[in-house]
Amino acid sequence: MARRIKRTKGTTPPALTADSPCPCGLPDTYARCCGRFHSGEESAPTAELLMRARYSAFVAHDAAYLLRTWHSSTRPPHLELDTGMQWTGLEIVDTTDGSAFHTAGAVTFRARYRHHGNRGELHERSNFEREQGAWVYVDGTFLE
């Protein structure tokens, strides 16, 4: 029987551990899914897996990973993540190219969140390219 964690408005979610379900939505633990990319053990082999790992980095408040996987031409000098933002779900809507055989790709997704108790959704088409052989985030376009 699955247990639900009851939270009150404004509380911090439980910490992400190696054995936690991966926030990206794939059916594996954080350590065996996006955690291996965050640790630097491996690089995401596709644009979609990088998109999932970056989403999980937002969940984990891992600004270093987000900056490390941002294209050098569009990367900000620093990144401060809003501690009031709680990411609650990811849906991959579409992918274009971005496989091991491509040098560019795009991923369209919907990411659900709560910000200071208010629910919302980010719908974006993100563009990715290879930089020095590794997939990196270039930019994105917000969709309605």
Side-chain angles (χ1 to χ4, degrees), residues 37-88:
F37 303 137
H38 294 174
S39 70
E41 179 182 327
E42 295 180 41
S43 294
T46 66
E48 180 181 334
L49 285 176
L50 178 60
M51 172 63 238
R52 290 179 178 278
R54 286 178 58 84
Y55 169 82
S56 293
F58 276 103
V59 171
H61 295 277
D62 187 347
Y65 180 78
L66 292 166
L67 288 169
R68 193 168 67 242
T69 58
W70 209 312
H71 196 279
S72 60
S73 68
T74 57
R75 179 187 315 126
H78 58 78
L79 184 62
E80 290 184 34
L81 300 176
D82 184 346
T83 58
M85 184 68 85
Q86 183 181 21
W87 296 97
T88 60

